[in-house]
């Protein structure tokens, strides 16, 4: 069944449609929330609250084709709120494992790939919440710039600017880590 049909059924109050949407989105939603909040417990809470909001407010969605952007707008805003209300933690290994997209290969390339992914994860976590959200949505969830603009409520130019700035920060962070042998790029999370 197409996503648009599922959304229409959800809007009509179908619990089955809600369950199918949950199955389609919950893993990616958890991964996104984990990167944005930095905490497994907070990510679980954000995902749960996102699905509660989807169930309660699906009828307000005007265009079923815009469901994915609407869903991630709710998730992102709840994750930002959680980040402002709580403290950020470094995610445990289970979050990293869920966030990683494992690639097949020989033992050495697999080990090197895991080490590189860990470096990148730490660098992404060092970004402030707005830059981190853009990076996570763009690179880890494959959203386009216009989709990210709808999700975050920013102009498309702002998304492009934040993505450019985030890339530069990540580049500097990874270069410093490589030169110093450890992560030296912690960015202050001033609010």
């Amino acid at each position: 069944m197409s996503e648009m049909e599922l959304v229409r059924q959800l809007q009509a109050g179908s619990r089955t449609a809600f369950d199918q949407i949950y199955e389609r989105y919950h893993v990616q939603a958890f991964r996104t929330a984990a990167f944005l909040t930095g905490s497994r417990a907070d990510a679980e809470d954000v995902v749960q609250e996102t699905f509660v909001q989807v169930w309660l407010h699906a009828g307000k969605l005007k265009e079923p084709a815009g469901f994915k952007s609407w869903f991630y707008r709710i998730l992102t805003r709840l994750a930002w709120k959680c980040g402002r209300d709580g403290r950020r933690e470094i995610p445990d290994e289970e979050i990293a494992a869920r966030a990683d997209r494992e690639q097949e290969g020989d033992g050495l390339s697999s080990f090197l790939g895991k080490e590189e992914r860990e470096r990148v994860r730490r660098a992404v976590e060092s970004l402030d919440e707005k830059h981190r959200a853009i990076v996570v949505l763009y690179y880890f969830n494959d959203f386009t710039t216009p989709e990210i603009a709808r999700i975050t409520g920013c102009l498309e130019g702002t998304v492009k600017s934040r993505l450019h700035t985030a890339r530069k920060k990540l580049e500097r962070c990874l270069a410093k880590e490589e030169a110093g042998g450890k992560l030296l790029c912690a960015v202050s999370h001033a609010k």
Side-chain angles (χ1 to χ4, degrees), residues 170-181:
L170 289 171
E171 185 179 297
R172 284 191 304 269
C173 180
L174 292 169
K176 284 179 182 178
E177 180 181 358
E178 192 170 293

Side-chain angles (χ1 to χ4, degrees), residues 35-143:
F35 269 111
L36 295 176
T37 64
S39 163
R40 175 181 165 75
D42 289 344
E44 289 173 349
D45 291 345
V46 166
V47 170
Q48 181 177 5
E49 182 60 24
T50 299
F51 280 105
V52 168
Q53 294 300 316
V54 165
W55 176 255
L56 293 174
H57 302 291
K60 295 179 182 178
L61 180 62
K62 294 177 184 166
E63 198 55 46
F67 176 80
K68 188 173 184 179
S69 294
W70 178 72
F71 176 87
Y72 278 96
R73 183 177 321 116
I74 294 169
L75 180 95
T76 302
R77 290 183 179 165
L78 288 170
W80 285 349
K81 183 180 183 316
C82 181
R84 282 191 296 269
D85 293 346
R87 60 180 179 17
R88 268 189 59 77
E89 303 170 2
I90 301 299
D92 61 17
E93 289 304 314
E94 189 172 339
I95 289 175
R98 286 187 183 200
D100 286 342
R101 293 183 178 164
E102 293 294 338
Q103 297 177 354
E104 300 280 327
D106 64 46
L108 180 59
S109 63
S110 177
F111 173 75
L112 293 175
K114 185 176 181 179
E115 289 294 313
E116 186 64 20
R117 283 192 304 274
E118 182 62 24
R119 285 181 65 231
V120 170
R121 183 186 62 80
R122 286 192 310 266
V124 169
E125 287 175 352
S126 73
L127 296 172
D128 61 86
E129 69 181 19
K130 293 193 179 194
H131 288 99
R132 186 173 56 251
I134 300 295
V135 167
V136 169
L137 292 170
Y138 189 81
Y139 288 108
F140 293 92
N141 292 312
D142 298 322
F143 282 107

